[in-house]
Amino acid sequence: MASSKTCMNVLCGTPISTEWRKGWALQCGGSAVLCDKCGSAYEQSIFCDVFHAKDSGWRECNKCGKRLHCGCIASRCLVELLDRGGVICIGCAKCSGVNSMAGDGNPNGSCVPMLDIVGERPSTSADCQIDSERKHIQFDNNTENIGLGHLLQFQNDDTKGSFEQFKREGILLHPGESGNVHSPKLNEVSNGSSQAAKPVIHALAQTNLSITLGSPLGSPNPFSDGVPDERGYNKASPPFQQGLRSRHLLPKPPKSTLAQGLEGSMGIPQICVARPPAEGRGRNQLLPRYWPRITDQELQQISGDTNSTIVPLFEKVLSASDAGRIGRLVLPKACAEAYFPPISQPEGLPLRIQDVKGKEWVFQFRFWPNNNSRMYVLEGVTPCIQSMQLQAGDTVIFSRMDPEGKLVMGFRKASKPITMQETQPSAISNGVHSSESFFPGVFENLPIISGYSGLLQSLKGSNDPHLNALSKHFNPNSGDISWLKSEKHDDQTRKGLLLQSLQVPEKKRLRNIGSKSKRLLIDNLDALELRLSWEEAQDLLCPPLSVKPSIVTIDDHDFEEYEEPPVFGKRSIFVVRSTGGQEQWAQCDSCSKWRRFPVHILLPPKWACGDNSLDQSRYSCSAPEELTPSELENLLRSHIDFKKRKMVPSYRPIQEHESSGLDALANAAILGDNVGDPGTTAVATTTRHPRHRPGCSCIVCIQPPSGKGKHKPTCTCNVCMTVKRRFKTLMMRKKKRQSEREAEIAQRNQQIWGSKDEAEVDSLSKHASLHLDPSENETKSTNELESKCQNENSLNKLSETGQGNLDLNSHPDRVDELRVGVPLVSMTSLLQVANLPLETYLKQNGLTSLMSEQEVGSVSPLPPQTTGDSEGQHLDDSHLPSSNERESSEGEENGDPSEPDLSPNDPQ
DNA sequence: TCACCGCATGGGC
DNA sequence: CGCCCATGCGGTG
């Protein structure tokens, strides 16, 4: 890792060691380096070639030729660090320091000063003074540069409380706020620049630096008359009065500085950053998750050609109840009090709010007394929400149009692919939620390792603690590079890590999913779908044959980095018409129109109408969409139905017999059974890969259809490696579930042997299939029960341990086939099978290479069960890549966690 | 029975 | 520990 770079401090230039200093400046990616000479500190993104081996992560400023940040993952937090609008370009003296970030939102890498800078940036600046009006910040000559390093160092010195909050919120705190901020002056730098789009910096000849804070984005609450609530609420310090004070301190500019910023930034890509709130109240106290994130372009869209300026006020991610039928949108208290007219009566008052289309809505803005506080709501929002087609997880953005003071309500759909700028926790969690569900493309930019930022960012703020935990594991910004280490100890591969997180214990999962106290922005099914989709995403993430990843080693961990996301193909929806015709539908990346294809077409990950050269009638995005809105709705609905049905088994473990599983459904779809919405043309949909599409080069189709042409055990071709990798994944998951079931069975064991009650035996068997209804089979004979139990148990064990017909594409339809070959064995032995560790199996089957990468567990002394062998299907490496089972159902191996195919169906 | 209203509850921060 | 806020829930029409 050790290498040497030149200190970016323009007046220093000393080569500095890049020896990682763990535990320092963790929030920005895990480590930092210090210049030996001047002590300037740089977080690792400065040396982002670590993460971006290809181009060293640097871009050149078009103006001055200096190197700029690449906009890599870590450097993103610089934007957050500084002011959400700019990053200090440490290497760019000509531009004097503060630039919009090159990379994400500024591919040209042009230094676009976010601050007007006069003079030169000081080489060093130690202390800073804030004048009484907080308009100037002075740096004297004792400090190092005001660049990133200093900020980082400062942050690092901060106490844990504020440090944590900083990490979470991505902001610097004001003195006096929660947490201990030890250097309010520097905080002021951040906040100052954050509140002003274009503050002015006067540099004072390398000795000190004065920053004049610009005007705020907008005026204080125009609704506020400054009169305290007559009901006495918060009389001592009504929030809106703070806005009043702000008005005095920070007069409204003739024109919104935001608009100025807009003009000034014409021609460069807009950066969508969270804009800190306009008023003093918000600036100081609004949680960053309410900070409006809206691009200047969007602002201009709203304002149209009028001379009005749009002042973004706040935004809120719609909760389920917000978007639900109740029609009440809970407003963040602080926002409501800061930006909406003060109300003294619970009844509130009607509020006119214009949507982005110009349509005006009238909502009742009111509050409920709540624990000596208030809970503000907008009532009657349902029509508006529906009009904008918003759902839980989408974001509404409240702005104000000045000078009229008219309230404007915009929105941001969660389905929008997550951008690098979108780091706000609340917003992100939704990104995962709805954008993923069935819209293709969201995961397309998600390489397994190096491109995970979007996903991780999306997880970062998830309300799902598990997702949070996961993101914490993964997120380099979460500030703990130790995850690399710790995971090493756990011997978690990167994929295993992901799976591990997906494999939270069932109880935990259920508690989370079913908990009434959840604050999930996604409902239960969606949460489940999320898991499935992750797994599906893994399916889609196959390294292209021709692409070799660059391997980056960090702390003895190898990371594959792909220049292009190793995406398998574009997701599409397969449809069988009631007439029997099969077709495939996919959405254009460009115009979002749904286009029809023959089923055998495999679409590339990125596809637009223009690529549709085979079909002249749909060659252009301008071609009309074939589907009527209702047809599209049907298509999507049946797709969702399909996915929900797919989820039912795990969500509701009591598997109905009629629900013969994913494959049956898929087959039905393929065969034209009318299992979908009967009233629609699209009778069933599936994203399953059809078997052996002609001309398809996917992992399924490139293999011979039935057992021929097996690859050798030692084969390392892409197919074999991929299959092996998937097998490992599957095994790890099975192992996890196995141990869970072991515990459960052990618990039941005692009951069984303690009582010969047949009902309990039945109960056991039911438990084996996660079925808990002892009354259902009361009439069954003991023998029936026992044999059933045995069968089911053996099935479970066989499947669980990988013995017998272990099929990566386990097929529910084939459970019955399996049963035929399952001899009756004693329950004891079956339970022993359950205890047979995976490792044992792997060893016995020459799969130690797989085992070596698994968590090393205790190996059971029990001999392997032979029941599985009766199937005559030893699993070995040569078997893995072969397709005789695989062809049956590609995709199942990453499918439903509950794997209904492994659970016996409940006999009628 | 349903929709709506107003408040209560409780997890999370 | 207090506040915030998502959501549950009982009362009412």
Side-chain angles (χ1 to χ4, degrees):
Chain A
M1 226 47 249
S3 61
S4 186
K5 299 283 177 182
T6 301
C7 177
M8 305 302 165
N9 185 328
V10 292
L11 296 183
C12 176
T14 309
I16 54 177
S17 163
T18 60
E19 178 188 353
W20 303 108
R21 294 187 52 177
K22 300 183 183 69
W24 195 91
L26 291 177
Q27 76 275 24
C28 278
S31 53
V33 294
L34 290 179
C35 173
D36 294 331
K37 187 177 175 185
C38 72
S40 292
Y42 303 104
E43 53 100 20
Q44 66 184 17
S45 69
I46 303 292
F47 305 99
C48 43
D49 45 351
V50 170
F51 291 115
H52 293 250
K54 179 173 172 287
D55 60 1
S56 296
W58 291 99
R59 295 168 186 274
E60 284 192 351
C61 173
N62 292 340
K63 287 181 182 170
C64 65
K66 292 286 184 179
R67 296 194 302 173
L68 299 176
H69 264 285
C70 65
C72 63
I73 295 171
S75 67
R76 282 183 66 259
C77 58
L78 307 187
V79 174
E80 302 293 327
L81 257 177
L82 286 180
D83 60 0
R84 297 167 176 268
V87 58
I88 288 184
C89 172
I90 295 174
C92 185
K94 246 182 205 176
C95 298
S96 301
V98 181
N99 305 279
S100 69
M101 184 178 69
D104 287 346
N106 186 6
N108 294 329
S110 173
C111 284
V112 181
M114 303 298 284
L115 306 172
D116 292 330
I117 298 170
V118 181
E120 285 197 17
R121 190 166 55 106
S123 62
T124 59
S125 54
D127 204 355
C128 52
Q129 307 290 331
I130 310 170
D131 67 12
S132 57
E133 290 192 345
R134 295 183 177 181
K135 286 185 177 179
H136 291 77
I137 298 177
Q138 303 244 335
F139 293 85
D140 65 32
N141 58 0
N142 293 325
T143 333
E144 17 184 290
N145 65 61
I146 61 168
L148 164 68
H150 185 78
L151 285 177
L152 286 180
Q153 193 166 33
F154 159 68
Q155 283 303 324
N156 187 55
D157 292 338
D158 203 352
T159 61
K160 185 155 177 69
S162 60
F163 181 67
E164 287 297 325
Q165 181 161 351
F166 166 76
K167 280 201 299 181
R168 189 170 61 250
E169 310 289 11
I171 56 164
L172 298 173
L173 300 171
H174 263 263
E177 292 185 25
S178 63
N180 302 309
V181 181
H182 79 279
S183 178
K185 301 150 191 171
L186 199 48
N187 283 335
E188 289 298 331
V189 175
S190 171
N191 284 308
S193 53
S194 72
Q195 71 164 336
K198 289 189 74 158
V200 179
I201 292 182
H202 302 282
L204 303 182
Q206 301 206 2
T207 55
N208 52 37
L209 175 66
S210 161
I211 299 180
T212 300
L213 300 185
S215 303
L217 292 179
S219 60
N221 189 345
F223 302 109
S224 171
D225 55 4
V227 177
D229 192 316
E230 56 265 34
R231 291 181 73 223
Y233 170 69
N234 271 355
K235 210 161 195 166
S237 178
F240 43 82
Q241 281 195 312
Q242 296 185 14
L244 198 66
R245 285 198 297 272
S246 298
R247 176 167 19 192
H248 174 69
L249 177 65
L250 301 166
K252 180 178 183 292
K255 190 171 185 179
S256 164
T257 52
L258 198 61
Q260 291 177 22
L262 180 65
E263 292 159 5
S265 59
M266 285 299 194
I268 65 160
Q270 298 296 324
I271 302 173
C272 180
V273 293
R275 297 178 188 279
E279 275 83 47
R281 155 76 182 181
R283 177 168 66 90
N284 288 334
Q285 294 175 33
L286 283 194
L287 290 174
R289 68 165 164 272
Y290 300 127
W291 290 9
R293 291 175 302 136
I294 183 170
T295 66
D296 289 341
Q297 283 166 340
E298 288 169 323
L299 283 177
Q300 199 174 32
Q301 269 185 353
I302 297 174
S303 62
D305 297 330
T306 69
N307 288 326
S308 305
T309 55
I310 303 296
V311 180
L313 299 176
F314 67 95
E315 70 176 38
K316 193 204 172 192
V317 177
L318 293 179
S319 71
S321 47
D322 290 335
R325 291 187 309 172
I326 314 171
R328 299 188 294 210
L329 195 162
V330 175
L331 293 168
K333 182 165 169 280
C335 301
E337 292 178 340
Y339 303 120
F340 286 1
I343 48 178
S344 54
Q345 299 299 322
E347 296 73 30
L349 46 81
L351 209 56
R352 263 174 211 280
I353 300 184
Q354 180 180 309
D355 69 14
V356 284
K357 298 172 189 166
K359 184 168 182 178
E360 260 198 6
W361 304 87
V362 179
F363 307 127
Q364 189 71 20
F365 170 56
R366 56 171 307 174
F367 70 86
W368 307 315
N370 193 306
N371 291 334
N372 285 331
S373 180
R374 291 177 174 186
M375 195 164 165
Y376 290 90
V377 290
L378 278 185
E379 288 184 341
V381 297
T382 301
C384 178
I385 297 285
Q386 286 176 347
S387 159
M388 296 193 283
Q389 296 184 318
L390 300 180
Q391 54 180 321
D394 297 334
T395 303
V396 289
I397 307 166
F398 291 91
S399 307
R400 190 179 58 234
M401 202 180 283
D402 281 342
E404 310 92 291
K406 186 188 288 179
L407 288 171
V408 184
M409 189 169 142
F411 64 89
R412 182 170 60 247
K413 297 287 285 184
S415 55
K416 192 183 92 180
I418 301 152
T419 67
M420 291 294 276
Q421 275 76 23
E422 288 177 350
T423 58
Q424 281 192 67
S426 52
I428 294 283
S429 61
N430 323 302
V432 171
H433 146 55
S434 60
S435 62
E436 193 282 322
S437 53
F438 57 78
F439 288 95
V442 171
F443 278 93
E444 285 179 11
N445 293 316
L446 181 64
I448 292 175
I449 293 301
S450 59
Y452 55 96
S453 58
L455 176 61
L456 295 174
Q457 289 294 342
S458 72
L459 294 170
K460 187 172 158 189
S462 167
N463 287 324
D464 185 321
H466 299 112
L467 298 186
N468 270 328
L470 173 61
S471 87
K472 199 169 183 181
H473 260 305
F474 264 92
N475 195 342
N477 292 348
S478 70
D480 192 357
I481 205 168
S482 64
W483 67 271
L484 294 169
K485 273 284 187 212
S486 64
E487 294 311 328
K488 168 108 181 179
H489 291 315
D490 293 338
D491 200 14
Q492 291 285 346
T493 63
R494 56 191 181 276
K495 219 168 178 179
L497 189 64
L498 179 61
L499 281 165
Q500 182 198 37
S501 300
L502 295 175
Q503 290 172 348
V504 291
E506 196 69 25
K507 273 183 191 170
K508 258 188 165 179
R509 234 186 293 164
L510 288 175
R511 190 189 64 178
N512 197 334
I513 289 174
S515 169
K516 117 181 187 179
S517 63
K518 66 179 169 40
R519 290 191 179 183
L520 291 174
L521 294 169
I522 49 183
D523 65 27
N524 300 349
L525 282 178
D526 283 341
L528 211 63
E529 183 171 6
L530 176 63
R531 287 207 305 274
L532 286 173
S533 300
W534 273 38
E535 291 155 350
E536 289 164 1
Q538 287 296 317
D539 257 357
L540 297 176
L541 295 172
C542 296
L545 286 165
S546 57
V547 177
K548 278 221 149 199
S550 52
I551 306 293
V552 177
T553 304
I554 299 176
D555 283 6
D556 299 330
H557 288 260
D558 288 342
F559 291 82
E560 290 179 13
E561 179 167 296
Y562 294 88
E563 190 172 341
E564 289 297 321
V567 174
F568 189 73
K570 189 178 185 65
R571 293 190 65 178
S572 56
I573 299 179
F574 291 92
V575 174
V576 178
R577 295 277 178 184
S578 51
T579 58
Q582 301 170 25
E583 55 196 44
Q584 180 185 182
W585 290 85
Q587 199 174 20
C588 170
D589 287 336
S590 173
C591 68
S592 299
K593 290 194 179 81
W594 286 84
R595 301 299 188 192
R596 184 173 57 186
F597 307 90
V599 287
H600 66 273
I601 296 292
L602 179 66
L603 296 172
K606 293 188 186 305
W607 179 90
C609 295
D611 303 324
N612 200 6
S613 55
L614 291 176
D615 188 346
Q616 293 301 323
S617 63
R618 304 180 194 89
Y619 187 52
S620 160
C621 287
S622 59
E625 189 155 69
E626 290 177 79
L627 293 171
T628 66
S630 65
E631 284 173 333
L632 178 59
E633 191 183 343
N634 285 335
L635 178 73
L636 298 179
R637 188 194 303 134
S638 49
H639 178 62
I640 294 170
D641 286 348
F642 168 76
K643 296 192 75 170
K644 283 186 176 174
R645 291 189 65 159
K646 180 177 167 184
M647 287 181 286
V648 160
S650 62
Y651 189 60
R652 184 177 49 122
I654 305 170
Q655 176 82 11
E656 304 295 340
H657 189 68
E658 49 85 20
S659 172
S660 56
L662 183 60
D663 275 14
L665 188 59
N667 288 339
I670 298 296
L671 296 174
D673 291 352
N674 195 349
V675 295
D677 184 342
T680 63
T681 315
V683 294
T685 63
T686 171
T687 56
R688 293 180 55 79
H689 192 300
R691 297 170 193 175
H692 288 276
R693 290 185 198 156
C696 175
S697 59
C698 76
I699 195 170
V700 180
C701 299
I702 58 177
Q703 296 172 76
S706 62
K708 297 175 184 174
K710 285 184 179 178
H711 296 226
K712 291 183 176 177
T714 55
C715 177
T716 56
C717 77
N718 184 64
V719 172
C720 291
M721 295 310 290
T722 304
V723 171
K724 284 176 184 172
R725 191 170 63 240
R726 290 185 181 179
F727 176 71
K728 278 189 285 183
T729 300
L730 181 68
M731 283 296 107
M732 292 177 68
R733 198 171 53 193
K734 285 186 183 304
K735 184 174 184 301
K736 178 81 176 175
R737 296 195 315 116
Q738 177 186 337
S739 59
E740 288 173 15
R741 282 200 195 181
E742 276 173 20
E744 192 174 41
I745 288 177
Q747 198 178 2
R748 287 281 152 188
N749 206 359
Q750 207 155 11
Q751 293 182 24
I752 300 228
W753 306 134
S755 162
K756 295 299 176 189
D757 190 325
E758 289 157 8
E760 287 198 20
V761 176
D762 188 28
S763 171
L764 168 68
S765 74
K766 297 263 173 200
H767 258 281
S769 58
L770 299 179
H771 190 143
L772 296 167
D773 185 3
S775 65
E776 188 175 313
N777 291 311
E778 279 174 359
T779 58
K780 286 187 167 46
S781 73
T782 307
N783 286 341
E784 282 174 337
L785 293 169
E786 202 154 328
S787 96
K788 168 173 160 284
C789 175
Q790 288 167 351
N791 272 331
E792 293 180 355
N793 274 300
S794 59
L795 271 172
N796 277 336
K797 307 312 169 296
L798 291 171
S799 301
E800 294 278 333
T801 56
Q803 301 223 13
N805 191 10
L806 187 137
D807 181 356
L808 294 186
N809 304 300
S810 300
H811 198 308
D813 291 344
R814 298 173 57 191
V815 168
D816 286 337
E817 299 172 25
L818 289 174
R819 288 179 177 218
V820 174
V822 177
L824 301 184
V825 293
S826 75
M827 193 173 290
T828 315
S829 63
L830 288 169
L831 290 172
Q832 286 173 347
V833 173
N835 291 325
L836 185 64
L838 178 62
E839 290 81 358
T840 306
Y841 165 76
L842 293 174
K843 278 187 178 172
Q844 286 161 359
N845 291 277
L847 293 174
T848 47
S849 63
L850 294 177
M851 194 186 94
S852 66
E853 291 191 37
Q854 309 229 2
E855 194 175 318
V856 178
S858 61
V859 176
S860 166
L862 286 172
Q865 265 297 329
T866 56
T867 51
D869 294 342
S870 66
E871 286 286 286
Q873 299 257 3
H874 269 295
L875 181 76
D876 57 23
D877 271 12
S878 68
H879 184 81
L880 286 176
S882 75
S883 60
N884 41 356
E885 275 82 31
R886 164 162 301 277
E887 66 170 318
S888 64
S889 68
E890 167 75 11
E892 274 296 297
E893 75 271 71
N894 286 326
D896 191 322
S898 79
E899 298 187 58
D901 48 317
L902 299 180
S903 300
N905 293 332
D906 192 37
Q908 309 257 5

